[in-house]
Amino acid sequence: IWNKRSNDSIQFDENVLLRRLRETAYLNGGLKIVYKNEHTGTKEEFYFEGGIADYVSYLASSRTGIFPSKPFFFDNKSGKVNVQVAFQYSEDDDEAIYTYANNIYTSDGGTHLSGFKTSITRIVNQFARSTSVLKEKEPNLSGEDIREGIVAIVSVRLPQPQFEGQTKGKLGSQEVEGVVNRLFSEAITEYFEKNPSILKMIAERALRAARARAAAKKASESIKRQGFLG
């Protein structure tokens, strides 16, 4: 509760505060946060039973061609490291992956992001091969193409996380990479086995992205060559 009488000299941006409270509620599914500003009369309540799965739905809501209709979500633990991942895809070209460590936004990623990227690249390629979406002579899909259009949240909790960089925006705890890679790989493998149509959509979307990238590169090289010859 914000009470103006508590300190008249304090200035704060209510929008920034509300955004952080909303984010915290998403990261802690089932937690109810009530904000009340007695000076302005503003009152907001934040409660998201689905946690980061609801967060992904919120972030993806303005995009087109969203799939799967319900975000992929898993929550598991190895030792003292807890891992949560949720994602959806869209037809939009950009990728949006937000990572957190102990509810702290890691703007520069880190070991949890590396573990996620390595895992999803390997597993999608593996399934794309086994289902013949990728033909024998075609090269593997790149991580960049596989992540095109994704909206994802990767959230980890661990004791005494190590942060890097001037802004402490990068998680450096080395053990986290392997834990995220292993737990996410297990979860996404089971998910694709139960939902082969979703895997096919992801792989085919990545294949289109790869072909578009190759065509754009070829066109660029052709233009440069024409300029040189001209």
Side-chain angles (χ1 to χ4, degrees):
I1 297 177
W2 168 259
N3 188 317
K4 186 175 184 295
R5 294 188 297 275
S6 59
N7 192 329
D8 289 345
S9 65
I10 295 176
Q11 300 293 323
F12 71 102
D13 187 328
E14 188 170 62
N15 289 329
V16 172
L17 183 56
L18 289 172
R19 186 164 61 247
R20 177 54 182 159
L21 293 176
R22 175 186 291 274
E23 181 181 61
T24 301
Y26 276 128
L27 292 168
N28 297 273
L31 174 68
K32 184 177 182 179
I33 300 176
V34 179
Y35 170 84
K36 185 177 181 181
N37 186 325
E38 294 183 348
H39 176 56
T40 63
T42 301
K43 184 177 180 180
E44 294 277 357
E45 292 187 5
F46 303 103
Y47 174 82
F48 306 104
E49 185 66 36
I52 63 169
D54 288 347
Y55 196 1
V56 165
S57 293
Y58 170 73
L59 293 171
S61 60
S62 62
R63 296 185 172 223
T64 58
I66 299 169
F67 70 92
S69 56
K70 181 180 179 181
F72 164 88
F73 169 75
F74 97 99
D75 180 352
N76 204 350
K77 189 174 183 179
S78 178
K80 295 182 179 180
V81 181
N82 178 257
V83 181
Q84 292 187 338
V85 176
F87 71 76
Q88 279 182 306
Y89 274 85
S90 76
E91 288 303 317
D92 295 38
D93 289 341
D94 61 314
E95 68 174 77
I97 304 175
Y98 301 91
T99 60
Y100 298 85
N102 293 7
N103 285 352
I104 298 169
Y105 175 52
T106 43
S107 57
D108 297 321
T111 52
H112 48 347
L113 179 59
S114 298
F116 170 76
K117 285 183 174 181
T118 299
S119 176
I120 197 168
T121 301
R122 178 172 54 84
I123 299 298
V124 169
N125 271 299
Q126 177 183 311
F127 273 87
R129 291 278 179 206
S130 65
T131 57
S132 298
V133 174
L134 269 182
K135 307 306 179 185
E136 184 178 344
K137 294 183 179 180
E138 289 182 309
N140 273 354
L141 298 164
S142 72
E144 186 177 5
D145 290 328
I146 289 170
R147 296 190 308 273
E148 184 177 290
I150 198 171
V151 179
I153 304 292
V154 180
S155 177
V156 297
R157 290 183 173 84
L158 68 155
Q160 300 179 324
Q162 303 297 311
F163 295 99
E164 301 176 358
Q166 291 183 337
T167 61
K168 305 296 183 182
K170 185 175 183 179
L171 181 65
S173 302
Q174 293 301 316
E175 73 277 14
V176 171
E177 183 169 5
V179 172
V180 172
N181 190 332
R182 179 170 59 82
L183 294 183
F184 177 66
S185 293
E186 292 171 357
I188 196 66
T189 295
E190 181 180 353
Y191 180 76
F192 285 156
E193 288 174 347
K194 293 180 178 178
N195 300 275
S197 62
I198 300 300
L199 174 277
K200 186 177 181 181
M201 292 173 72
I202 293 172
E204 288 181 344
R205 192 200 186 294
L207 195 56
R208 290 196 301 271
R211 288 168 177 166
R213 200 181 307 278
K217 182 179 179 181
K218 186 175 181 180
S220 176
E221 290 173 350
S222 176
I223 292 170
K224 289 178 181 176
R225 191 161 52 247
Q226 290 173 10
F228 176 76
L229 294 174

